[in-house]
């Protein structure tokens, strides 16, 4: 898998039947990741590589060009039934910058995961390993049931809170659409490109006008900018994590990661007006 949260999904369906490696290391952002020659070794011998697509992990193309034989490739935004969102929802956006025209953060909606991504992973793994088809199908069904319960749990966690948020980068549109939240703005329109002090001040002004009580920051992107935001905005920043962290048991699995983020959003959103 290109990123940790995709690896989490693959592990759920593959179980002990496959070894899952991740290309982007913990704490790094896929948007700013630059693969090293040694990353080619991680792909060597892989039967399947799973990527988000839509520019999130566009660097995979060069790695695959250096890998022979090429593994099968599953691109999540291209999966049937995903119904991808446009990358740029902002009137002032320029078409999405590095994110491309489609929003790649599809794993942050557990219902899209349940209804589109899990069936695609089951089909792909079963095609590569037909002797184990029944096991992949059973693991997929079990995961789908848990995702339905997780969705209800997240909805409850976010009930009675405010609806508007300011994200660090535009990672949360699938999550927001699912749970009726509204992205007022983002700090980094192109992830990894820091806003100017003027852009930052304008964003903080917009957040205040919209009554957004906290700005979301992320572990993978510039702590310097996060500190600048905290200075502009008072101390009210809340850490969210679209990618997860295998070294933290609170967000080392898919359900854990989504729960952890819903709790962070609930804090950041404040009470319903
Ligand atoms: Zn992102």
């Amino acid at each position: 898998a290109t990123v940790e949260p995709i690896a989490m999904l693959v592990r759920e369906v593959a179980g002990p039947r496959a070894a899952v490696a991740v290309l982007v290391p913990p704490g790094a952002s896929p948007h700013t990741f630059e693969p090293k020659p040694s990353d080619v070794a991680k792909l060597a011998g892989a039967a399947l590589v799973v990527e988000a697509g839509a520019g999130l992990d566009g660097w995979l193309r060069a790695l695959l060009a250096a890998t022979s034989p090429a593994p099968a490739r599953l691109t999540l935004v291209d999966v049937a039934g995903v119904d991808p969102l446009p990358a740029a929802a902002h009137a002032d956006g320029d078409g999405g910058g590095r994110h491309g025209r489609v929003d790649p953060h599809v794993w942050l909606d557990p219902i899209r995961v349940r209804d589109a991504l899990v069936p695609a992973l089951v089909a792909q793994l079963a095609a590569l390993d037909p002797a184990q088809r029944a096991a992949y199908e059973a693991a997929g069904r079990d995961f789908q049931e848990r995702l339905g319960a997780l969705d209800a749990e997240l909805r409850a966690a976010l009930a009675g809170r405010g609806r508007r948020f300011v994200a660090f980068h535009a990672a949360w549109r699938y999550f927001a659409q699912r749970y009726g939240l509204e992205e007022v703005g983002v700090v980094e329109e192109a992830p990894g490109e820091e806003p100017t002090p003027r852009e930052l001040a304008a964003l903080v002004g917009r957040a205040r006008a919209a009554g957004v009580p906290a700005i979301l920051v992320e572990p993978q992107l510039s702590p310097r900018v996060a500190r600048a935001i905290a200075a502009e905005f008072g101390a009210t920043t809340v850490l969210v994590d679209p990618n997860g962290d295998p070294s933290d048991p609170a967000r080392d699995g898919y359900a854990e990661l989504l729960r952890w983020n819903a709790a962070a959003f609930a804090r950041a959103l404040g009470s319903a007006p």
Side-chain angles (χ1 to χ4, degrees), residues 194-209:
E194 298 187 357
T196 65
R198 206 168 128 183
E199 286 167 340
L200 197 54
L203 179 68
V204 169
R206 211 150 79 228
R208 286 215 176 96

Side-chain angles (χ1 to χ4, degrees), residues 205-255:
R206 211 150 79 228
R208 286 215 176 96
V212 173
I215 288 185
L216 304 173
V217 294
E218 296 171 15
Q220 293 86 11
L221 294 162
S222 178
R224 201 163 68 81
V225 177
R227 280 196 292 273
I229 296 164
E232 286 276 345
F233 205 68
T236 45
T237 56
V238 172
L239 187 70
V240 292
D241 182 4
N243 293 335
D245 184 346
S247 70
D248 179 358
R251 49 194 158 119
D252 66 349
Y254 183 74

